[in-house]
Amino acid sequence: MFLEIPTAAMAHPTLLVTLRCLTLLCILSIAMGADNNSTVSGPIHLDCGASSPTATDADNRTWHSDNSSNFAPSLKGVAATASYQDPALPSTVPYMTARIFTSNYTYSFPVSPGRLFVRLYFYPSTYGNYAPANAYFGVTASNLVLLDNFNASQTALAANIASFVREYSVNVTSGNLDVTFSPSTQQNGSYAFVNGIEIVPTPDLFTTPTPTLTNGGNPDPFPINPTTGFQTMHRLNVGGQFISPQGDVDFYRSWDDDTPYINDAGYGVAFGKDRNVTITYTPSVPNYTAPVDVYATARSMGPNAQINLNSNLTWTLPVDAGFYYLLRFHFCEIQYPITKVNQRSFFIYINNQTAQRQMDVIAWSNGIGRTVYMDYAILTIGSGQMDLWVALHPDLSTRPEYYDAILNGLEVFKLQNYGNNSLAGLNPPLLQSPVEPNGTPGGGNSKGSAAPAIGGAVGGFAVLLIACIGVCIICRRKKKVAKESDKSDDGRWTPLTDYSKSQSNTSGKTATSRSHTSTLPSNLCRHFSFGEIQAATNNFDQAFLLGKGGFGNVYLGEIDSGTKVAIKRGNPMSEQGVHEFQTEIEMLSKLRHRHLVSLIGYCEDMNEMILVYDYMAHGTLREHLYNTKNPPLSWKQRLGICIGAAQGLHYLHTGAKQTIIHRDVKTTNILLDEKWIAKVSDFGLSKTGPNVDNTHVSTVVKGSFGYLDPEYFRRQQLTEKSDVYSFGVVLFEVLSARPALSPSLPKEQVSLADWALHCQKKGMLGQIIDPYLQGKIAPQCFMKFAETAVKCVADHSIDRPSMGDVLWNLEFALQLQESAENSSSLTEGTSSNTSPLTVPSIHSDEPLTDTITTTSTTMSIAGRSITSTESDGLTPSSVFSQLMNPGGR
Ligand SMILES: *[C@@H]1O[C@H](CO)[C@@H](O)[C@H](O)[C@H]1NC(C)=O
Ligand SMILES: *[C@@H]1O[C@H](CO)[C@@H](O)[C@H](O)[C@H]1NC(C)=O
């Protein structure tokens, strides 16, 4: 009997991880009294159908083949390798091989009694003669039905993913776990398959505290039977990034980014902990409850108290109807000034019913940085798929200081149905199989014909491209950017499917997006024919020309009889072309945000590189600042635009699974729609940064002069702080209405960033203000804005704020402007209402996130709403009334 513990532990990169792992396993084996040496007490990773005895996956776990494994007595079935490797697979191990069963088969794991995660890995693909559509099967774990008449291919198609993991938690009482695969008898020619089985022992994670049943607004305790089987439906790192199994060393769980589940993706503010806050686990929340990262990031409703009062922060989570669910909400207050009871209090609604009133994280956790989780249960009625609604809303009944809500993590578990001992849901409705690269639906095994045809055409294009580059270099605009030497940037026109590999194979996502654009569903990214594009632009009529850029021309077009779009036609002479075309599709088809320009679709017929975007009626921000006939923008309009652009960039840096660095932030890449909403555009130069903090993407310098981060230039290392620098230049441009570079001015004034810093040091920053704005900016607002911009263009990236901090400060600046405008109009009537704002000095060393103390009007600051400071008449109705702090500050 092999024990996998040492191998698995040593495969981890750091000693710390190893120690944590071993400690936990020790605790577990003691807890489970693993005295029987024929049982396995560590994790098991079974690589089904694998030919080599052991293999390591992208998360550094070692997998053992089921061939001649002790867990696979008298093994039946066919060992098979997938004929197509989807670029979206998170790892080839264990996904590329499968065990195929045409009759029932049982794997048998001798495990110590107790709770286990059982994870089934599925990559529905063609295995030899076995087509994915025909695999209908059931799976049981001892007596518990996990899956019934299940079709993995249908499941993956409906979710638009290539592969997925089903995670269950079962309580084994007998000392043996039998996992049985049974081809469905309801469908002819059915077979069963599985790519990998992972078993991880855990303590009891589910029964304490007793959840509250959300029951038409009448909460009841809902004790959970310790033998209950669970299926994990969702595990979200709310306001944070994807955490791979490697980042959750206790039980190899993965935690997803929550943004895809938010009802309005532009809503809510994601933030991380303040630097001087330490995450502290408590006796009722052991370390293994969730990784530090889950508690160290959160989402709140947003900066505006009034908006928060009129809306809910809502997630909709697909689940199977007809089951009880356990919802675990992870909370931790992580930013000052929230340290006391009754600063933030909110409702938790589940499926439009009140699950919790007066949720006050500090009251439950006893302080900033301390962790707490709350469990609720709910019954869903019906059958088939449905959405579970989870919503937060400020609860004003105790008059909290901030009208806001917070959430750090959310887990949703399905409880077994005791009537039929089952966790199985129905298959999603049948969708048509996508066309795989071989051109045949459903995925055949010959990858052959079409790909080389594309390759050939592309090759010819590349020759043309290279021939043109020599000519182009002379006439190209003066941008002195070195040609990038990255592996995917060799000017070859690789099919999009291959390109996407580079960014998806390193993470161990539970479910990875299927990223070949040719199979992207139309709601994500649409494929236009060249004919459609010609019709939309009247065959690229010069009258429809909106602008010209490095990439090519941009035309106004009309599609679907009346929808205006911007059509960007790649110039085949463009050196930037091919790679950027792919990057842009790659990035934009995955990113949806109110402050990012939406890509509607693309056309790659006949070697064209055409992108179709939402039409931005008001054009670029620069067109409204200088060298223009457009009327000047008001200061508040400018602030609003800067805040919108900052939200877009903040989302790029923190909202997606991986940090995305824009690399070309400038006023011509900030576009304005008909409602003056700012949208960040032009992702052609974007880079996906590594997941880890404090690292950088090493690369050859690209970007636009005047906006280039000097540190990036010196060290050729790209971090998201390079975008912060460029954004600082944008802020100065907005303030001064002059270009980032003005070569005709005296030498010291040529670079706007240098000139602004020079003026700031001399205490004469007021000089650079756009004459149109003179006297129109409230002094406190100007101080805050200028302080923010100055910090953004700090020489060293470490001294620059994060985009989140920038956003926070700009929102604050807007509040200062508004409250100054309000009080100046009020002073005529009430003299007592002059604004008692504490204005931080521009030379202050305080961290940018520090907050202003008080104001006499209702205002709010980035996710923290500040209400009036009245301290009268608190209703002591709350259970926490004795803990309340009526002063509220
Ligand atoms: C909750 O309310 C929303 C909006 O009224 C509705 O669309 C949704 O279906 C409701 N959800 C449930 C589970 O009842
Ligand atoms: C928030 O959700 C709750 C529960 O569904 C609902 O009663 C309430 O009307 C919603 N509030 C707003 C402002 O949408």
Side-chain angles (χ1 to χ4, degrees), residues 308-312 314 349 351-354 389 391-393:
N308 296 354
L309 287 179
N310 290 326
S311 53
N312 285 337
T314 307
Y349 300 115
N351 274 356
N352 300 342
Q353 302 174 32
T354 305
W389 285 58
L392 307 179
H393 184 78

Side-chain angles (χ1 to χ4, degrees), residues 665-736:
V665 175
K666 53 183 174 181
T667 42
T668 45
N669 281 339
I670 296 170
L671 304 184
L672 303 166
D673 75 2
E674 74 285 358
K675 293 183 189 134
W676 297 96
I677 308 285
K679 313 224 176 200
V680 176
S681 81
D682 209 338
F683 295 71
L685 295 179
S686 301
K687 280 267 173 214
T688 314
N691 260 326
V692 200
D693 275 345
N694 305 324
T695 49
H696 59 269
V697 183
S698 179
T699 174
V700 176
V701 174
K702 282 196 174 189
S704 301
F705 272 111
Y707 295 92
L708 263 186
D709 168 9
E711 188 170 88
Y712 172 32
F713 208 80
R714 282 195 302 270
R715 300 172 50 195
Q716 313 227 324
Q717 288 176 354
L718 186 65
T719 70
E720 63 267 32
K721 293 292 182 68
S722 309
D723 285 351
V724 173
Y725 181 93
S726 310
F727 191 71
V729 179
V730 168
L731 294 180
F732 282 126
E733 227 175 311
V734 164
L735 180 68
S736 62

